[in-house]
Structure formats: structure tokens, C-alpha cells
């Protein structure tokens, strides 16, 4: 069985569908049953259920990690 990722504030999550601004990357501002995410393209903030984030996630990057 796959391990669930350990989400923390300031992590960058890449989601399946892009935001209308074109960015797929979101910064996590709040963690709980719901997440508050901030689009890295335009700065728009949304609240999303944890279940939806886990289902649509395509990548997770910790702050300070190198981009290859």
C-alpha cells in the first residue's frame, strides 16, 4: 500500500489540473482536514479538502529543495 505524504506548511504541491493562470504549483499555507493553497502563478488562495489534494497531487516539493 502506498504511504500518504507528510504535508507541511510551505511545501509546494503540483496538482493534476492547471489553474486558469497556467500554473500547476501551489504553496500550502494551512494543513488540516482542509488545506489553504496559494497559487504560485497569480497568488490566488483557495481552501480545498485534503482528500481532493491527495487525489489530484502529482508531486510534492519541500521548501529549499533543488529543482532539477
Amino acid at each position: 500500500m502506498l504511504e500518504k505524504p507528510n504535508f507541511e506548511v510551505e511545501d509546494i504541491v503540483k496538482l493534476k489540473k492547471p489553474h486558469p493562470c497556467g500554473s500547476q504549483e501551489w504553496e500550502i499555507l494551512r494543513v488540516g482536514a482542509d488545506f489553504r493553497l496559494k497559487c504560485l502563478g497569480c497568488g490566488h488562495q483557495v481552501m480545498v479538502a485534503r482528500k481532493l489534494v491527495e487525489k489530484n497531487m502529482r508531486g510534492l516539493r519541500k521548501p529549499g529543495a533543488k529543482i532539477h
Side-chain angles (χ1 to χ4, degrees), residues 1-52:
M1 187 169 179
L2 293 175
E3 230 180 90
K4 289 194 177 188
N6 183 23
F7 294 106
E8 296 176 356
V9 173
E10 295 185 359
D11 286 354
I12 306 297
V13 65
K14 184 175 182 178
L15 298 180
K16 182 177 170 179
K17 287 189 172 185
H19 188 248
C21 74
S23 176
Q24 287 182 300
E25 293 193 323
W26 298 78
E27 179 182 359
I28 298 175
L29 302 177
R30 178 186 177 278
V31 177
D34 294 320
F35 287 3
R36 176 170 294 281
L37 302 175
K38 181 173 90 173
C39 177
L40 293 181
C42 64
H44 184 77
Q45 293 185 17
V46 296
M47 290 289 287
V48 182
R50 174 184 283 266
K51 201 170 197 176
L52 282 175

